[in-house]
PDB file of all heavy atoms in Angstrom:
ATOM      1  N   ILE A  23      -5.546   7.561  36.802  1.00 98.00           N
ATOM      2  CA  ILE A  23      -4.847   6.952  35.657  1.00 98.00           C
ATOM      3  C   ILE A  23      -4.577   5.473  35.925  1.00 98.00           C
ATOM      4  O   ILE A  23      -4.796   4.627  35.054  1.00 98.00           O
ATOM      5  CB  ILE A  23      -3.547   7.727  35.344  1.00 98.00           C
ATOM      6  CG1 ILE A  23      -3.890   9.103  34.773  1.00 98.00           C
ATOM      7  CG2 ILE A  23      -2.662   6.946  34.376  1.00 98.00           C
ATOM      8  CD1 ILE A  23      -2.702  10.027  34.596  1.00 98.00           C
ATOM      9  N   PHE A  24      -4.133   5.113  37.123  1.00 98.00           N
ATOM     10  CA  PHE A  24      -3.895   3.699  37.450  1.00 98.00           C
ATOM     11  C   PHE A  24      -5.192   2.897  37.444  1.00 98.00           C
ATOM     12  O   PHE A  24      -5.214   1.759  36.974  1.00 98.00           O
ATOM     13  CB  PHE A  24      -3.185   3.567  38.798  1.00 98.00           C
ATOM     14  CG  PHE A  24      -1.706   3.725  38.710  1.00 98.00           C
ATOM     15  CD1 PHE A  24      -1.067   4.783  39.345  1.00 98.00           C
ATOM     16  CD2 PHE A  24      -0.927   2.831  37.988  1.00 98.00           C
ATOM     17  CE1 PHE A  24       0.295   4.931  39.258  1.00 98.00           C
ATOM     18  CE2 PHE A  24       0.435   2.974  37.898  1.00 98.00           C
ATOM     19  CZ  PHE A  24       1.052   4.035  38.527  1.00 98.00           C
ATOM     20  N   LEU A  25      -6.275   3.475  37.954  1.00 98.00           N
ATOM     21  CA  LEU A  25      -7.563   2.782  37.916  1.00 98.00           C
ATOM     22  C   LEU A  25      -8.039   2.585  36.478  1.00 98.00           C
ATOM     23  O   LEU A  25      -8.590   1.539  36.142  1.00 98.00           O
ATOM     24  CB  LEU A  25      -8.612   3.546  38.729  1.00 98.00           C
ATOM     25  CG  LEU A  25      -8.449   3.495  40.248  1.00 98.00           C
ATOM     26  CD1 LEU A  25      -9.485   4.389  40.924  1.00 98.00           C
ATOM     27  CD2 LEU A  25      -8.545   2.080  40.760  1.00 98.00           C
ATOM     28  N   LEU A  26      -7.824   3.567  35.637  1.00 97.00           N
ATOM     29  CA  LEU A  26      -8.189   3.452  34.219  1.00 97.00           C
ATOM     30  C   LEU A  26      -7.372   2.353  33.534  1.00 97.00           C
ATOM     31  O   LEU A  26      -7.922   1.544  32.776  1.00 97.00           O
ATOM     32  CB  LEU A  26      -7.982   4.799  33.513  1.00 97.00           C
ATOM     33  CG  LEU A  26      -8.498   4.922  32.092  1.00 97.00           C
ATOM     34  CD1 LEU A  26     -10.017   4.830  32.083  1.00 97.00           C
ATOM     35  CD2 LEU A  26      -8.048   6.225  31.485  1.00 97.00           C
ATOM     36  N   LEU A  27      -6.093   2.285  33.808  1.00 97.00           N
ATOM     37  CA  LEU A  27      -5.247   1.233  33.246  1.00 97.00           C
ATOM     38  C   LEU A  27      -5.648  -0.145  33.780  1.00 97.00           C
ATOM     39  O   LEU A  27      -5.680  -1.129  33.030  1.00 97.00           O
ATOM     40  CB  LEU A  27      -3.779   1.503  33.549  1.00 97.00           C
ATOM     41  CG  LEU A  27      -3.130   2.661  32.770  1.00 97.00           C
ATOM     42  CD1 LEU A  27      -1.734   2.932  33.300  1.00 97.00           C
ATOM     43  CD2 LEU A  27      -3.093   2.344  31.300  1.00 97.00           C
ATOM     44  N   ALA A  28      -5.969  -0.240  35.066  1.00 97.00           N
ATOM     45  CA  ALA A  28      -6.394  -1.513  35.639  1.00 97.00           C
ATOM     46  C   ALA A  28      -7.719  -1.964  35.022  1.00 97.00           C
ATOM     47  O   ALA A  28      -7.908  -3.158  34.728  1.00 97.00           O
ATOM     48  CB  ALA A  28      -6.525  -1.391  37.156  1.00 97.00           C
ATOM     49  N   TYR A  29      -8.640  -1.043  34.785  1.00 97.00           N
ATOM     50  CA  TYR A  29      -9.912  -1.399  34.140  1.00 97.00           C
ATOM     51  C   TYR A  29      -9.662  -1.895  32.712  1.00 97.00           C
ATOM     52  O   TYR A  29     -10.259  -2.887  32.282  1.00 97.00           O
ATOM     53  CB  TYR A  29     -10.861  -0.203  34.124  1.00 97.00           C
ATOM     54  CG  TYR A  29     -12.075  -0.445  33.263  1.00 97.00           C
ATOM     55  CD1 TYR A  29     -13.083  -1.307  33.677  1.00 97.00           C
ATOM     56  CD2 TYR A  29     -12.194   0.165  32.020  1.00 97.00           C
ATOM     57  CE1 TYR A  29     -14.182  -1.557  32.878  1.00 97.00           C
ATOM     58  CE2 TYR A  29     -13.290  -0.079  31.211  1.00 97.00           C
ATOM     59  CZ  TYR A  29     -14.286  -0.939  31.649  1.00 97.00           C
ATOM     60  OH  TYR A  29     -15.367  -1.185  30.850  1.00 97.00           O
ATOM     61  N   GLY A  30      -8.792  -1.225  31.977  1.00 95.00           N
ATOM     62  CA  GLY A  30      -8.477  -1.658  30.611  1.00 95.00           C
ATOM     63  C   GLY A  30      -7.864  -3.051  30.590  1.00 95.00           C
ATOM     64  O   GLY A  30      -8.213  -3.885  29.753  1.00 95.00           O
ATOM     65  N   LEU A  31      -6.978  -3.332  31.520  1.00 95.00           N
ATOM     66  CA  LEU A  31      -6.368  -4.656  31.608  1.00 95.00           C
ATOM     67  C   LEU A  31      -7.411  -5.703  31.973  1.00 95.00           C
ATOM     68  O   LEU A  31      -7.455  -6.781  31.378  1.00 95.00           O
ATOM     69  CB  LEU A  31      -5.244  -4.647  32.646  1.00 95.00           C
ATOM     70  CG  LEU A  31      -4.526  -5.968  32.875  1.00 95.00           C
ATOM     71  CD1 LEU A  31      -3.798  -6.391  31.610  1.00 95.00           C
ATOM     72  CD2 LEU A  31      -3.557  -5.849  34.023  1.00 95.00           C
ATOM     73  N   TRP A  32      -8.294  -5.396  32.933  1.00 95.00           N
ATOM     74  CA  TRP A  32      -9.346  -6.334  33.316  1.00 95.00           C
ATOM     75  C   TRP A  32     -10.294  -6.599  32.150  1.00 95.00           C
ATOM     76  O   TRP A  32     -10.690  -7.729  31.908  1.00 95.00           O
ATOM     77  CB  TRP A  32     -10.128  -5.758  34.504  1.00 95.00           C
ATOM     78  CG  TRP A  32     -11.273  -6.626  34.921  1.00 95.00           C
ATOM     79  CD1 TRP A  32     -11.219  -7.745  35.685  1.00 95.00           C
ATOM     80  CD2 TRP A  32     -12.649  -6.440  34.581  1.00 95.00           C
ATOM     81  NE1 TRP A  32     -12.476  -8.270  35.848  1.00 95.00           N
ATOM     82  CE2 TRP A  32     -13.372  -7.480  35.180  1.00 95.00           C
ATOM     83  CE3 TRP A  32     -13.338  -5.488  33.842  1.00 95.00           C
ATOM     84  CZ2 TRP A  32     -14.743  -7.600  35.050  1.00 95.00           C
ATOM     85  CZ3 TRP A  32     -14.699  -5.604  33.717  1.00 95.00           C
ATOM     86  CH2 TRP A  32     -15.387  -6.654  34.317  1.00 95.00           C
ATOM     87  N   ARG A  33     -10.645  -5.553  31.394  1.00 94.00           N
ATOM     88  CA  ARG A  33     -11.538  -5.710  30.252  1.00 94.00           C
ATOM     89  C   ARG A  33     -10.910  -6.617  29.196  1.00 94.00           C
ATOM     90  O   ARG A  33     -11.579  -7.490  28.635  1.00 94.00           O
ATOM     91  CB  ARG A  33     -11.856  -4.340  29.645  1.00 94.00           C
ATOM     92  CG  ARG A  33     -12.932  -4.357  28.599  1.00 94.00           C
ATOM     93  CD  ARG A  33     -13.285  -2.957  28.162  1.00 94.00           C
ATOM     94  NE  ARG A  33     -12.092  -2.188  27.877  1.00 94.00           N
ATOM     95  CZ  ARG A  33     -11.698  -1.838  26.649  1.00 94.00           C
ATOM     96  NH1 ARG A  33     -12.414  -2.155  25.626  1.00 94.00           N
ATOM     97  NH2 ARG A  33     -10.594  -1.153  26.474  1.00 94.00           N
ATOM     98  N   LEU A  34      -9.626  -6.457  28.913  1.00 91.00           N
ATOM     99  CA  LEU A  34      -8.949  -7.295  27.933  1.00 91.00           C
ATOM    100  C   LEU A  34      -8.794  -8.737  28.410  1.00 91.00           C
ATOM    101  O   LEU A  34      -8.997  -9.682  27.650  1.00 91.00           O
ATOM    102  CB  LEU A  34      -7.573  -6.727  27.599  1.00 91.00           C
ATOM    103  CG  LEU A  34      -7.543  -5.479  26.733  1.00 91.00           C
ATOM    104  CD1 LEU A  34      -6.116  -4.966  26.621  1.00 91.00           C
ATOM    105  CD2 LEU A  34      -8.097  -5.768  25.366  1.00 91.00           C
ATOM    106  N   GLN A  35      -8.436  -8.920  29.674  1.00 91.00           N
ATOM    107  CA  GLN A  35      -8.138 -10.251  30.187  1.00 91.00           C
ATOM    108  C   GLN A  35      -9.381 -11.048  30.569  1.00 91.00           C
ATOM    109  O   GLN A  35      -9.393 -12.257  30.422  1.00 91.00           O
ATOM    110  CB  GLN A  35      -7.222 -10.146  31.415  1.00 91.00           C
ATOM    111  CG  GLN A  35      -5.841  -9.652  31.106  1.00 91.00           C
ATOM    112  CD  GLN A  35      -5.040 -10.677  30.333  1.00 91.00           C
ATOM    113  OE1 GLN A  35      -5.120 -11.859  30.603  1.00 91.00           O
ATOM    114  NE2 GLN A  35      -4.262 -10.228  29.382  1.00 91.00           N
ATOM    115  N   VAL A  36     -10.410 -10.379  31.042  1.00 92.00           N
ATOM    116  CA  VAL A  36     -11.579 -11.090  31.553  1.00 92.00           C
ATOM    117  C   VAL A  36     -12.760 -10.986  30.602  1.00 92.00           C
ATOM    118  O   VAL A  36     -13.326 -11.984  30.173  1.00 92.00           O
ATOM    119  CB  VAL A  36     -11.966 -10.568  32.961  1.00 92.00           C
ATOM    120  CG1 VAL A  36     -13.227 -11.235  33.466  1.00 92.00           C
ATOM    121  CG2 VAL A  36     -10.816 -10.780  33.933  1.00 92.00           C
ATOM    122  N   MET A  37     -13.130  -9.781  30.235  1.00 92.00           N
ATOM    123  CA  MET A  37     -14.345  -9.590  29.432  1.00 92.00           C
ATOM    124  C   MET A  37     -14.175 -10.063  27.993  1.00 92.00           C
ATOM    125  O   MET A  37     -15.109 -10.593  27.410  1.00 92.00           O
ATOM    126  CB  MET A  37     -14.751  -8.110  29.444  1.00 92.00           C
ATOM    127  CG  MET A  37     -14.992  -7.576  30.822  1.00 92.00           C
ATOM    128  SD  MET A  37     -16.653  -7.123  31.265  1.00 92.00           S
ATOM    129  CE  MET A  37     -17.499  -6.695  29.837  1.00 92.00           C
ATOM    130  N   GLN A  38     -13.010  -9.855  27.399  1.00 92.00           N
ATOM    131  CA  GLN A  38     -12.811 -10.205  25.996  1.00 92.00           C
ATOM    132  C   GLN A  38     -11.861 -11.382  25.818  1.00 92.00           C
ATOM    133  O   GLN A  38     -11.258 -11.539  24.765  1.00 92.00           O
ATOM    134  CB  GLN A  38     -12.279  -8.992  25.228  1.00 92.00           C
ATOM    135  CG  GLN A  38     -13.251  -7.839  25.192  1.00 92.00           C
ATOM    136  CD  GLN A  38     -12.694  -6.644  24.455  1.00 92.00           C
ATOM    137  OE1 GLN A  38     -11.500  -6.569  24.176  1.00 92.00           O
ATOM    138  NE2 GLN A  38     -13.548  -5.704  24.135  1.00 92.00           N
ATOM    139  N   SER A  39     -11.743 -12.215  26.819  1.00 90.00           N
ATOM    140  CA  SER A  39     -10.802 -13.333  26.725  1.00 90.00           C
ATOM    141  C   SER A  39     -11.215 -14.329  25.645  1.00 90.00           C
ATOM    142  O   SER A  39     -10.364 -14.889  24.961  1.00 90.00           O
ATOM    143  CB  SER A  39     -10.680 -14.033  28.078  1.00 90.00           C
ATOM    144  OG  SER A  39     -11.926 -14.612  28.433  1.00 90.00           O
ATOM    145  N   GLY A  40     -12.511 -14.568  25.467  1.00 90.00           N
ATOM    146  CA  GLY A  40     -12.985 -15.500  24.433  1.00 90.00           C
ATOM    147  C   GLY A  40     -12.620 -15.029  23.032  1.00 90.00           C
ATOM    148  O   GLY A  40     -12.209 -15.829  22.182  1.00 90.00           O
ATOM    149  N   LYS A  41     -12.773 -13.748  22.811  1.00 90.00           N
ATOM    150  CA  LYS A  41     -12.446 -13.182  21.495  1.00 90.00           C
ATOM    151  C   LYS A  41     -10.966 -13.369  21.185  1.00 90.00           C
ATOM    152  O   LYS A  41     -10.599 -13.814  20.092  1.00 90.00           O
ATOM    153  CB  LYS A  41     -12.802 -11.698  21.472  1.00 90.00           C
ATOM    154  CG  LYS A  41     -12.346 -10.966  20.242  1.00 90.00           C
ATOM    155  CD  LYS A  41     -12.618  -9.479  20.373  1.00 90.00           C
ATOM    156  CE  LYS A  41     -11.943  -8.703  19.265  1.00 90.00           C
ATOM    157  NZ  LYS A  41     -12.086  -7.262  19.450  1.00 90.00           N
ATOM    158  N   TYR A  42     -10.115 -13.069  22.153  1.00 88.00           N
ATOM    159  CA  TYR A  42      -8.677 -13.167  21.903  1.00 88.00           C
ATOM    160  C   TYR A  42      -8.201 -14.624  21.878  1.00 88.00           C
ATOM    161  O   TYR A  42      -7.230 -14.943  21.200  1.00 88.00           O
ATOM    162  CB  TYR A  42      -7.902 -12.341  22.924  1.00 88.00           C
ATOM    163  CG  TYR A  42      -8.081 -10.867  22.680  1.00 88.00           C
ATOM    164  CD1 TYR A  42      -8.821 -10.076  23.539  1.00 88.00           C
ATOM    165  CD2 TYR A  42      -7.541 -10.265  21.552  1.00 88.00           C
ATOM    166  CE1 TYR A  42      -9.004  -8.729  23.301  1.00 88.00           C
ATOM    167  CE2 TYR A  42      -7.723  -8.926  21.300  1.00 88.00           C
ATOM    168  CZ  TYR A  42      -8.452  -8.154  22.177  1.00 88.00           C
ATOM    169  OH  TYR A  42      -8.628  -6.823  21.920  1.00 88.00           O
ATOM    170  N   ALA A  43      -8.880 -15.513  22.587  1.00 86.00           N
ATOM    171  CA  ALA A  43      -8.542 -16.938  22.501  1.00 86.00           C
ATOM    172  C   ALA A  43      -8.860 -17.460  21.102  1.00 86.00           C
ATOM    173  O   ALA A  43      -8.085 -18.240  20.530  1.00 86.00           O
ATOM    174  CB  ALA A  43      -9.313 -17.729  23.546  1.00 86.00           C
ATOM    175  N   GLN A  44      -9.989 -17.028  20.539  1.00 84.00           N
ATOM    176  CA  GLN A  44     -10.344 -17.455  19.183  1.00 84.00           C
ATOM    177  C   GLN A  44      -9.351 -16.885  18.165  1.00 84.00           C
ATOM    178  O   GLN A  44      -8.925 -17.596  17.245  1.00 84.00           O
ATOM    179  CB  GLN A  44     -11.759 -16.995  18.849  1.00 84.00           C
ATOM    180  CG  GLN A  44     -12.208 -17.425  17.473  1.00 84.00           C
ATOM    181  CD  GLN A  44     -13.606 -16.922  17.151  1.00 84.00           C
ATOM    182  OE1 GLN A  44     -14.168 -16.110  17.881  1.00 84.00           O
ATOM    183  NE2 GLN A  44     -14.150 -17.395  16.058  1.00 84.00           N
ATOM    184  N   LEU A  45      -8.969 -15.633  18.319  1.00 84.00           N
ATOM    185  CA  LEU A  45      -7.977 -15.050  17.404  1.00 84.00           C
ATOM    186  C   LEU A  45      -6.632 -15.767  17.515  1.00 84.00           C
ATOM    187  O   LEU A  45      -5.961 -15.996  16.506  1.00 84.00           O
ATOM    188  CB  LEU A  45      -7.807 -13.557  17.701  1.00 84.00           C
ATOM    189  CG  LEU A  45      -8.956 -12.652  17.288  1.00 84.00           C
ATOM    190  CD1 LEU A  45      -8.716 -11.233  17.788  1.00 84.00           C
ATOM    191  CD2 LEU A  45      -9.132 -12.667  15.781  1.00 84.00           C
ATOM    192  N   ALA A  46      -6.243 -16.142  18.715  1.00 84.00           N
ATOM    193  CA  ALA A  46      -4.977 -16.858  18.892  1.00 84.00           C
ATOM    194  C   ALA A  46      -5.051 -18.250  18.266  1.00 84.00           C
ATOM    195  O   ALA A  46      -4.078 -18.725  17.682  1.00 84.00           O
ATOM    196  CB  ALA A  46      -4.638 -16.959  20.375  1.00 84.00           C
ATOM    197  N   GLU A  47      -6.202 -18.904  18.367  1.00 79.00           N
ATOM    198  CA  GLU A  47      -6.373 -20.233  17.778  1.00 79.00           C
ATOM    199  C   GLU A  47      -6.268 -20.171  16.261  1.00 79.00           C
ATOM    200  O   GLU A  47      -5.712 -21.060  15.622  1.00 79.00           O
ATOM    201  CB  GLU A  47      -7.728 -20.810  18.197  1.00 79.00           C
ATOM    202  CG  GLU A  47      -8.005 -22.191  17.692  1.00 79.00           C
ATOM    203  CD  GLU A  47      -7.130 -23.246  18.336  1.00 79.00           C
ATOM    204  OE1 GLU A  47      -6.652 -23.041  19.465  1.00 79.00           O
ATOM    205  OE2 GLU A  47      -6.900 -24.272  17.691  1.00 79.00           O
ATOM    206  N   GLN A  48      -6.795 -19.108  15.672  1.00 76.00           N
ATOM    207  CA  GLN A  48      -6.756 -18.967  14.222  1.00 76.00           C
ATOM    208  C   GLN A  48      -5.407 -18.472  13.721  1.00 76.00           C
ATOM    209  O   GLN A  48      -5.127 -18.525  12.533  1.00 76.00           O
ATOM    210  CB  GLN A  48      -7.840 -17.993  13.763  1.00 76.00           C
ATOM    211  CG  GLN A  48      -9.228 -18.533  13.941  1.00 76.00           C
ATOM    212  CD  GLN A  48     -10.282 -17.507  13.577  1.00 76.00           C
ATOM    213  OE1 GLN A  48      -9.984 -16.352  13.327  1.00 76.00           O
ATOM    214  NE2 GLN A  48     -11.526 -17.939  13.546  1.00 76.00           N
ATOM    215  N   ASN A  49      -4.572 -18.011  14.625  1.00 78.00           N
ATOM    216  CA  ASN A  49      -3.291 -17.435  14.236  1.00 78.00           C
ATOM    217  C   ASN A  49      -2.151 -18.436  14.396  1.00 78.00           C
ATOM    218  O   ASN A  49      -1.004 -18.056  14.557  1.00 78.00           O
ATOM    219  CB  ASN A  49      -3.012 -16.198  15.104  1.00 78.00           C
ATOM    220  CG  ASN A  49      -1.939 -15.332  14.509  1.00 78.00           C
ATOM    221  OD1 ASN A  49      -1.671 -15.394  13.328  1.00 78.00           O
ATOM    222  ND2 ASN A  49      -1.311 -14.512  15.337  1.00 78.00           N
TER     223      ASN A  49
END
Side-chain angles (χ1 to χ4, degrees):
I23 290 172
F24 276 116
L25 288 175
L26 189 66
L27 288 173
Y29 170 73
L31 179 64
W32 177 80
R33 189 174 48 108
L34 286 174
Q35 292 290 320
V36 176
M37 302 248 333
Q38 296 179 347
S39 64
K41 172 186 170 186
Y42 289 109
Q44 181 182 10
L45 288 173
E47 182 69 25
Q48 291 176 352
N49 197 21

